[in-house]
C-alpha cells in the first residue's frame, strides 16, 4: 500500500520527510543567515544527493525521469529556515510572540471568539510545517486577518486611562 497509516498520510509518507532532510542538510551549511530567498530551488540538486533514499524513491516511481528537482521544500518552516536562517526565523517568531503576548496581556483565552480565531491561526501556522500553505496568498491573508481580529477582539473596549503625572497638564 502507498500509505501504511493515517499518520503517514498527515506527514506525507516518507517523501516529505526526505524533502525535509534535504532542507535540513542545506540549512546546516548556512545556519545563521540562510542561503537567501528562493535559494531552495537552486540548491536542491546539489543537496538531494546527500539523501540517497529520496533519489531511490523518485526513480522507483518514475524510472524514465531524466533529472528531477523540487521547487519548494513542501514545508514552509523548513524552507524559511533554509532561505533566511535562524535570524530570519527569529524575526518571524518575534511577530508571533508579540501576538501571543497581546493574548496573554488581555487574557484572550477567557473569551470565546478571540480564542477560536487564535486557535485557527495556530492551526495554519502548524500546518506550515507539513505543507507549503503560507505560499498561498489567500491563506496568508486569512492568517493575518485572524491574528489582527483576534487581538483586536481581545482588547477590552474601555481601557484604563493613565493618570497624568503631577507635573503634566491635563489636556495639553
Amino acid at each position: 500500500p502507498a500509505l501504511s497509516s493515517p499518520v503517514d498520510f498527515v506527514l506525507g509518507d516518507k517523501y516529505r520527510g526526505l524533502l525535509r532532510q534535504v532542507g535540513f542538510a542545506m540549512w546546516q551549511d548556512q545556519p545563521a543567515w540562510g542561503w537567501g530567498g528562493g535559494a531552495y530551488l537552486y540548491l536542491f540538486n546539489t543537496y538531494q544527493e546527500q539523501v540517497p533514499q529520496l533519489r531511490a524513491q523518485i526513480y522507483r516511481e518514475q524510472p524514465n525521469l531524466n533529472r528531477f528537482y523540487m521547487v519548494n521544500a513542501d514545508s514552509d518552516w523548513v524552507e524559511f529556515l533554509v532561505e533566511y536562517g535562524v535570524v530570519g526565523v527569529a524575526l518571524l517568531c518575534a511577530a508571533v510572540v508579540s501576538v501571543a503576548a497581546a493574548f496573554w496581556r488581555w487574557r484572550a483565552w477567557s473569551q470565546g471568539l478571540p480564542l477560536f480565531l487564535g486557535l485557527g491561526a495556530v492551526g495554519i501556522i502548524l500546518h506550515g510545517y507539513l505543507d507549503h500553505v503560507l505560499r498561498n496568498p489567500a491563506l496568508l491573508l486569512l492568517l493575518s486577518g485572524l491574528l489582527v481580529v483576534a487581538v483586536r477582539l481581545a482588547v477590552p473596549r474601555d481601557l484604563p486611562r493613565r493618570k497624568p503625572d503631577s507635573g503634566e497638564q491635563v489636556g495639553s
Side-chain angles (χ1 to χ4, degrees), residues 24-42:
F24 285 126
M26 291 178 196
W27 171 70
Q28 288 173 345
D29 286 347
Q30 292 286 337
W33 298 99
W35 288 95
Y40 186 91
L41 168 67
Y42 301 106

Side-chain angles (χ1 to χ4, degrees), residues 10-41:
V10 171
L11 296 177
D13 198 26
K14 294 179 180 78
Y15 180 70
R16 285 189 179 168
L18 295 172
L19 287 177
R20 286 187 207 108
Q21 285 181 22
V22 172
F24 285 126
M26 291 178 196
W27 171 70
Q28 288 173 345
D29 286 347
Q30 292 286 337
W33 298 99
W35 288 95
Y40 186 91
L41 168 67

Side-chain angles (χ1 to χ4, degrees), residues 78-92:
V78 172
E79 188 168 346
F80 200 86
L81 187 63
V82 166
E83 294 179 353
Y84 302 105
V86 173
V87 174
V89 170
L91 291 172
L92 191 61

Side-chain angles (χ1 to χ4, degrees), residues 50-64:
Q50 295 181 18
V51 184
Q53 303 94 328
L54 178 64
R55 171 175 286 235
Q57 183 169 349
I58 292 291
Y59 285 115
R60 183 173 47 249
E61 294 174 7
Q62 300 177 10
N64 296 327

Side-chain angles (χ1 to χ4, degrees), residues 38-51:
Y40 186 91
L41 168 67
Y42 301 106
L43 294 171
F44 180 79
N45 277 330
T46 303
Y47 282 88
Q48 58 94 11
E49 294 171 358
Q50 295 181 18
V51 184

